[in-house]
Amino acid sequence: MRVCRFCTQCIFESGKTWDFHHGNSDGLSASAVSRNSEAQGCVFCSRLFADLHGIVEAFNRPLYRWSIRKPGRTRESQDFIVIVFRPIHAVRGLAGGDIDIWLPERAFYLFAEGSLGDLVREEDLGESTNSDPAWSRVTAWIDNCAKHHPTCNHRQSYLDFVPTRLLDLSTRRNGFVRLIETKGMSITGPYCTLSHCWGNVKENQFINLTAANIKQFLNEGISLEQISNRNFTEALEVCERLSVRYLWIDSLCIVQHSEKNKSANAKEQELEETDWHHEAPLMDQVYRHSHCNIAATASRDRNGGLFRARNLDHLRGDGELSLARYHTSRKLGIFGDTVWRIVPSDYWERELLDNVLYTRAWVFQERMLAPRILHFSKNQIFWDCGTLSACEVLPSGLPQPIDTISGTDRHWRQRLQDPSLPQQGPLAGEATDSLEQFWKRAVQSYTKCNLTNGGDKLVAIWGVAKLVRAALDEEYCVGMWERNFKEQLAWRVADCRTSSRPRPLRAPSWSWASMDGAIELQDRLTSERLYAISSHDGKEIAFDLDPQFR
């Protein structure tokens, strides 16, 4: 990315602390879209233009006001500058009618180039996320975590728990992998897990473990030609690069129900019905004890895969992967003669969390419970552990001001990994969030995600809930806690327009788990009540809970 001439003169060279941005939509559009095929548009204008393009009508007066400030620096913080673009009026939407739209505020951070660690030159990123330069960075992250992150390594290892089944990749070079049942076996190495989107399984069918083929897979293995899923085959390659022999994939390590197996005998039917109920409660242990979780972040279905080619033209100078750079030989106000790099405040969200995989509810607990994660995104690889969040563009880690969501997730990932968690009671650590606040945020994030099978609403967050239950040392049921139960009935939907209660009920109507859509929980009081809570008929609130909801 780059800084256009208008923004250079209007913001950097003006000597002002605020002013108006482009006076009309044509000027904004011209700066946002580069006429040079080897470069991207202005880092500021292209983001603002993306917010309004195709949504609002053209405008002929300034839409945004920008302001700039340099926060005070503490001993622990970096030297940085903040530029904020705020809309100053609403704009008429293209949908018709009298609907005015307020566009979002956008913020950008400027960091002194030298404060960002060892930045990689864009042209050295490699032509794909499966290139040697990319794997050099992955290897460096893993080695650094193993050698210099004591809190990441103070956790339960794969020796404490092994999944019921694993894929043994030692025969991959022979054209097949082996499904093994680990009971009674001596597993001599760590295993990885895979997070992936199933997609529309009717249109994009891929191989699953079923009662009909489990004996074949255990005895003969699974031919690589049979797998027919790019996410799976490329995950095998990742494991080989990491020198990890074993891989856990949900659809190949848990027996799935097969509509095709109409001739299933009673034993096969029983296996299909019981295996899921046995394996689902173990999900938290599967991910917590893994060596690393491999996330097919940008893949919508079996055809997407992990690896992405990169446009070599976009790796040079002002390309889409580059952090916009500003420097002048003249000393200009707060900018001085420092070389600055410009990073959007929502860089982690836009580049990673907004990818399709993280709209899936099951993946929420996978991301929170895995000790390390390699996210294979559309442009680059991201790294997450309990100590560091980084990416190929920022290999030394995210700078502090944009390390907010990732930093909080890291804290709880680290705490949920602690082998002494159940004995510690309420959690404490570096983050200021209490365990109560973590659960509120977890439910809000989780309920924003989508479930293919609505019946999994409670199961898909159980891996996190059971660890929180152990730490709080209180009963948990259908998304609610035993203590101050009545206050928890005050949950609400974040947006009535996108929320619904499907039928038949999968949870009691008084539980947030009965709803589809984002949920906001209320705080549970810790002091004595100064009010009474009663049912509609004035009686004490009481429920008889069906065993199916326990």
Side-chain angles (χ1 to χ4, degrees):
M1 302 296 284
R2 63 187 177 89
V3 180
C4 68
R5 182 179 296 277
F6 175 86
C7 289
T8 299
Q9 295 175 344
C10 176
I11 300 174
F12 293 97
E13 297 178 354
S14 67
K16 299 178 181 178
T17 57
W18 71 271
D19 203 345
F20 298 106
H21 200 229
H22 284 284
N24 56 64
S25 51
D26 289 340
L28 179 62
S29 173
S31 294
V33 182
S34 173
R35 296 180 176 84
N36 182 350
S37 62
E38 295 185 359
Q40 297 293 295
C42 172
V43 62
F44 304 125
C45 298
S46 60
R47 184 62 197 278
L48 301 178
F49 182 71
D51 285 337
L52 60 86
H53 182 58
I55 299 175
V56 301
E57 294 180 350
F59 58 92
N60 292 303
R61 56 176 173 144
L63 177 57
Y64 289 96
R65 165 183 158 163
W66 61 264
S67 62
I68 190 167
R69 64 186 178 90
K70 187 174 185 179
R73 182 179 180 182
T74 65
R75 183 179 300 177
E76 293 80 15
S77 66
Q78 293 169 290
D79 194 18
F80 65 92
I81 295 170
V82 188
I83 299 178
V84 180
F85 293 84
R86 294 184 176 89
I88 54 178
H89 60 82
V91 187
R92 184 58 53 89
L94 289 176
D98 297 325
I99 300 176
D100 288 337
I101 297 174
W102 279 95
L103 296 170
E105 177 182 298
R106 296 299 179 191
F108 299 81
Y109 291 97
L110 279 67
F111 300 99
E113 190 172 67
S115 70
L116 295 176
D118 297 325
L119 291 178
V120 179
R121 293 189 309 167
E122 286 77 15
E123 57 266 33
D124 292 335
L125 283 171
E127 60 186 15
S128 80
T129 52
N130 191 27
S131 61
D132 287 339
W135 283 110
S136 293
R137 281 178 286 282
V138 169
T139 302
W141 286 327
I142 291 178
D143 288 347
N144 183 50
C145 183
K147 296 175 181 177
H148 304 295
H149 295 171
T151 53
C152 290
N153 295 293
H154 176 61
R155 64 183 185 88
Q156 300 180 26
S157 72
Y158 66 90
L159 296 175
D160 300 312
F161 170 86
V162 179
T164 305
R165 304 181 189 93
L166 287 170
L167 297 175
D168 184 347
L169 314 185
S170 60
T171 57
R172 176 174 174 266
R173 293 298 180 96
N174 297 327
F176 69 97
V177 296
R178 295 171 54 228
L179 178 69
I180 60 172
E181 292 188 334
T182 60
K183 186 177 182 180
M185 294 185 64
S186 177
I187 301 299
T188 58
Y191 66 90
C192 287
T193 53
L194 175 68
S195 291
H196 66 104
C197 286
W198 286 48
N200 187 326
V201 292
K202 292 183 178 180
E203 297 179 1
N204 296 285
Q205 295 183 2
F206 54 88
I207 193 168
N208 290 324
L209 179 66
T210 66
N213 62 25
I214 186 171
K215 287 185 178 179
Q216 177 190 352
F217 289 178
L218 288 170
N219 296 329
E220 303 174 16
I222 308 170
S223 167
L224 299 185
E225 295 180 353
Q226 283 181 275
I227 292 180
S228 65
N229 187 311
R230 261 188 73 189
N231 299 320
F232 296 179
T233 55
E234 293 181 0
L236 302 182
E237 187 171 347
V238 172
C239 287
E240 183 173 334
R241 290 273 195 170
L242 300 180
S243 299
V244 173
R245 177 176 174 176
Y246 302 103
L247 175 64
W248 187 90
I249 300 176
D250 51 6
S251 59
L252 289 178
C253 294
I254 300 176
V255 176
Q256 309 293 316
H257 177 69
S258 175
E259 296 290 344
K260 294 182 178 180
N261 192 16
K262 302 294 185 182
S263 60
N265 57 41
K267 189 174 181 179
E268 289 179 342
Q269 290 177 349
E270 181 183 6
L271 180 60
E272 288 186 349
E273 292 172 1
T274 61
D275 197 63
W276 167 251
H277 294 291
H278 176 268
E279 295 298 315
L282 302 177
M283 288 290 198
D284 65 306
Q285 296 196 65
V286 169
Y287 286 94
R288 285 175 76 203
H289 291 81
S290 67
H291 173 67
C292 181
N293 185 49
I294 302 164
T297 309
S299 176
R300 292 186 172 277
D301 52 39
R302 70 180 179 92
N303 299 309
L306 279 71
F307 307 132
R308 295 289 184 274
R310 293 194 271 233
N311 187 328
L312 291 178
D313 289 336
H314 286 177
L315 297 180
R316 302 186 181 99
D318 298 328
E320 63 182 340
L321 270 180
S322 65
L323 297 177
R325 190 171 184 266
Y326 175 76
H327 175 243
T328 178
S329 57
R330 297 178 293 161
K331 290 190 176 183
L332 294 176
I334 61 174
F335 302 106
D337 56 359
T338 301
V339 178
W340 298 94
R341 290 289 188 142
I342 305 170
V343 187
S345 63
D346 59 349
Y347 186 80
W348 186 255
E349 297 93 292
R350 284 193 75 206
E351 289 289 315
L352 179 63
L353 297 184
D354 288 348
N355 276 274
V356 62
L357 180 67
Y358 294 124
T359 66
R360 309 306 303 167
W362 271 104
V363 181
F364 171 77
Q365 71 172 5
E366 296 168 13
R367 183 168 63 86
M368 293 307 300
L369 295 175
R372 304 179 182 95
I373 311 174
L374 281 173
H375 312 265
F376 288 83
S377 191
K378 61 181 180 179
N379 293 321
Q380 56 179 318
I381 302 172
F382 286 77
W383 166 262
D384 245 340
C385 65
T387 306
L388 178 72
S389 297
C391 60
E392 292 183 83
V393 170
L394 292 164
S396 298
L398 301 183
Q400 183 188 7
I402 65 170
D403 192 23
T404 51
I405 292 177
S406 50
T408 302
D409 286 348
R410 274 199 317 277
H411 167 77
W412 290 110
R413 184 178 299 114
Q414 183 186 113
R415 299 299 298 125
L416 293 173
Q417 282 293 321
D418 195 328
S420 61
L421 174 64
Q423 288 76 41
Q424 286 189 333
L427 300 180
E430 295 176 2
T432 56
D433 278 358
S434 67
L435 191 57
E436 299 275 0
Q437 292 302 312
F438 165 71
W439 179 252
K440 284 180 61 177
R441 197 173 66 83
V443 169
Q444 185 172 25
S445 299
Y446 171 71
T447 53
K448 287 179 181 178
C449 299
N450 304 316
L451 272 170
T452 301
N453 179 10
D456 291 341
K457 189 77 170 187
L458 290 164
V459 183
I461 198 174
W462 171 238
V464 172
K466 69 189 292 188
L467 296 175
V468 175
R469 180 186 67 172
L472 289 174
D473 192 25
E474 62 178 290
E475 286 300 315
Y476 167 87
C477 188
V478 293
M480 316 287 269
W481 300 98
E482 178 184 21
R483 183 174 58 80
N484 291 345
F485 172 78
K486 295 176 180 179
E487 277 72 25
Q488 295 173 69
L489 299 174
W491 58 264
R492 67 185 185 89
V493 297
D495 188 342
C496 295
R497 297 169 297 180
T498 57
S499 299
S500 62
R501 178 176 282 127
R503 302 284 178 170
L505 289 175
R506 59 182 172 228
S509 61
W510 42 262
S511 168
W512 59 261
S514 67
M515 300 294 298
D516 284 341
I519 298 294
E520 295 178 357
L521 302 184
Q522 301 301 311
D523 289 324
R524 294 198 286 168
L525 295 180
T526 57
S527 58
E528 185 179 354
R529 288 194 188 101
L530 299 178
Y531 52 86
I533 301 175
S534 61
S535 63
H536 293 293
D537 56 6
K539 297 180 180 179
E540 177 74 14
I541 292 179
F543 299 100
D544 292 324
L545 192 61
D546 192 301
Q548 67 171 313
F549 294 134
R550 290 187 181 276

